[in-house]
């Protein structure tokens, strides 16, 4: 295929769509958590495994990049019901991901954030299974994200347990 054909440009456009949507979700999260740490957050008892705050930016940057690229790989495959299902699940997990930080840091609703995280885990796992049927490398790209979501669930769950009155 010639580099002057429309397909590569369209392909790059769609890579930009997935990357841009992921950037918006990250921006929403950053806006909710980038304010000076509230008294509420400082008063929370945090689990011993809680990483330092500086870890979250680089980790989420890498995870967002791999999830966007995963969706792009699925999108590039021939149209099918399974591809459509996978992409619907990807958009669902992205929306749920974007909701977590405003729930936790913005609304101070750690329990709601934990429920959101559980739904996010279901959607991301469903996407990964569906993606595996369409493009196996796209599914493998989700592995670090699924692991981090499990860790985030542990942290969020422990915060709820350790802060019954504040969470």
């Amino acid at each position: 295929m010639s580099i002057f054909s429309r397909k590569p440009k369209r392909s790059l456009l769609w890579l930009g769509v997935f990357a841009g949507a992921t950037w918006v979700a990250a921006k929403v999260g950053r806006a909710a958590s980038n304010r000076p740490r509230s008294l509420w957050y400082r008063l929370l008892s945090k689990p011993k495994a809680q990483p330092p705050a500086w870890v979250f930016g680089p980790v989420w940057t890498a995870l967002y990049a791999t999830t966007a690229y995963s969706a792009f790989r699925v999108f590039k495959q021939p149209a099918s019901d399974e591809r459509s299902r996978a992409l619907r699940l990807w958009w669902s997990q992205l929306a749920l991901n974007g909701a977590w930080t405003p729930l936790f840091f913005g609304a101070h609703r750690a329990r709601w954030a934990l429920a959101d995280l559980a739904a996010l885990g279901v959607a991301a796992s469903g996407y990964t299974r569906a993606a595996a049927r369409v493009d196996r490398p796209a599914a493998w790209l989700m592995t670090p994200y699924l692991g981090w979501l499990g860790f985030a669930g542990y942290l969020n769950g422990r915060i709820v347990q350790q802060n019954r009155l504040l969470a």
Side-chain angles (χ1 to χ4, degrees), residues 73-120:
R73 286 189 61 96
V74 168
F75 176 79
K76 286 191 338 177
Q77 301 308 310
S80 69
D81 289 342
E82 196 61 44
R83 183 189 84 152
S84 295
R85 180 176 183 276
L87 291 173
R88 279 192 305 273
L89 286 164
W90 186 85
W91 286 106
S92 297
Q93 69 78 31
L94 185 64
L96 289 162
N97 186 308
W100 185 89
T101 305
L103 284 170
F104 188 89
F105 288 106
H108 304 165
R109 302 291 188 200
R111 284 181 183 84
W112 293 2
L114 185 58
D116 174 82
L117 194 51
L120 170 56

Side-chain angles (χ1 to χ4, degrees), residues 12-111:
L12 285 176
L13 171 70
W14 280 102
L15 178 58
V17 167
F18 291 113
T22 304
W23 179 83
V24 168
K27 199 75 165 153
V28 166
R30 188 163 179 81
S33 66
N34 211 25
R35 300 188 295 248
R37 295 292 184 206
S38 68
L39 178 60
W40 174 82
Y41 183 76
R42 289 192 311 254
L43 289 175
L44 289 176
S45 174
K46 294 164 196 79
K48 290 183 187 346
Q50 177 94 12
W54 65 265
V55 168
F56 292 93
V59 167
W60 275 111
T61 298
L63 294 173
Y64 279 137
T66 59
T67 60
Y69 185 60
S70 172
F72 174 66
R73 286 189 61 96
V74 168
F75 176 79
K76 286 191 338 177
Q77 301 308 310
S80 69
D81 289 342
E82 196 61 44
R83 183 189 84 152
S84 295
R85 180 176 183 276
L87 291 173
R88 279 192 305 273
L89 286 164
W90 186 85
W91 286 106
S92 297
Q93 69 78 31
L94 185 64
L96 289 162
N97 186 308
W100 185 89
T101 305
L103 284 170
F104 188 89
F105 288 106
H108 304 165
R109 302 291 188 200
R111 284 181 183 84

